[in-house]
Amino acid sequence: MQNDIAYHLILASASPARRALLAAAGIDAEVMVSGVDESVVEAEDAYTLSLGLARMKARTVAADLAADPGALVLGCDSVLAFEGEIFGKPANAEESVKRWMMMRGRSGVLHTGHHLTGLVSGKQAEGVGTTVVHFADITDEEIAAYVATGEPLNVAGSFTLDGRGGAFVDRIEGDPGNVIGLSLPLLRTLLGEMDISITQLWRRAEEAG
């Protein structure tokens, strides 16, 4: 493990949920939104798409940064695979309602791509976290009320686990953080592939206080 460099994480994502997950784990990430056009990435399956989008976000942000040996750029993107279809963020409320009519009482697989790149070292590591999500058999009224809050319009698959949508998920198989948008165990693994310990990203005790 490399111990002589002060590492810090740059999150190439606008997701407040991802940043909150990192903060709760003792990692203060700087947010730099990539602004990429996600529609240009095409893939035949949700697994490949999530990783391609994460890679594009991380590399786009990294390309705009000045050389810093301690900078690590993390790109993440979540996509839901549901009965052969790929569900990213819904285009509008109508599409969100339609999705929930299909998903209720059934299960989907949430894939979150992670791509980590070292700004100066050039080292890269990537992987996909996969979690099975079992949706509750909710009513038409609950769907309408949920979509009306606006929450499902900004997230992959039209649901969240850490918000109002958590009441409509019966159970999951896998890492809950992955469903929220970032898998901490996977991040630890990717850092390890780059000879970095996740503990090197933890904020110091004096900073936490």
Side-chain angles (χ1 to χ4, degrees):
M1 295 291 180
Q2 301 177 25
N3 298 311
D4 56 343
I5 298 176
Y7 289 103
H8 58 97
L9 192 66
I10 297 170
L11 181 62
S13 170
S15 167
R18 291 190 178 107
R19 189 178 189 183
L21 273 172
L22 290 167
I27 301 172
D28 293 324
E30 178 184 355
V31 172
M32 293 190 67
V33 182
S34 65
V36 297
D37 180 5
E38 297 185 10
S39 66
V40 303
V41 178
E42 297 182 0
E44 295 183 354
D45 60 88
Y47 182 103
T48 305
L49 179 61
S50 70
L51 187 56
L53 289 169
R55 186 186 302 126
M56 182 172 67
K57 289 179 178 180
R59 290 180 176 176
T60 298
V61 167
D64 290 336
L65 294 173
D68 179 348
L72 302 169
V73 182
L74 175 65
C76 295
D77 200 275
S78 300
V79 183
L80 180 72
F82 181 79
E83 298 188 353
E85 295 192 51
I86 299 175
F87 288 170
K89 295 177 182 177
N92 48 45
E94 181 180 351
E95 183 174 55
S96 185
V97 169
K98 181 181 178 182
R99 287 183 180 182
W100 266 103
M101 292 289 189
M102 297 169 59
M103 297 188 309
R104 60 182 173 186
R106 299 181 180 178
S107 303
V109 181
L110 196 287
H111 299 288
T112 298
H114 299 61
H115 181 89
L116 188 67
T117 183
L119 205 57
V120 172
S121 70
K123 291 183 178 181
Q124 299 182 37
E126 61 182 28
V128 178
T130 297
T131 306
V132 179
V133 182
H134 299 274
F135 299 102
D137 190 9
I138 63 178
T139 66
D140 291 356
E141 290 75 16
E142 286 174 319
I143 292 173
Y146 182 44
V147 173
T149 67
E151 180 182 278
L153 303 183
N154 300 310
V155 289
S158 300
F159 78 98
T160 63
L161 193 62
D162 58 336
R164 292 180 175 89
F168 303 141
V169 175
D170 276 344
R171 62 189 176 89
I172 65 169
E173 299 171 43
D175 176 16
N178 190 63
V179 182
I180 297 172
L182 191 154
S183 172
L184 290 167
L186 178 53
L187 174 60
R188 173 182 170 273
T189 297
L190 298 181
L191 285 164
E193 291 178 10
M194 297 172 63
D195 297 320
I196 301 169
S197 170
I198 195 170
T199 62
Q200 291 175 260
L201 293 177
W202 288 350
R203 72 178 74 91
R204 297 190 299 273
E206 58 268 26
E207 294 173 343

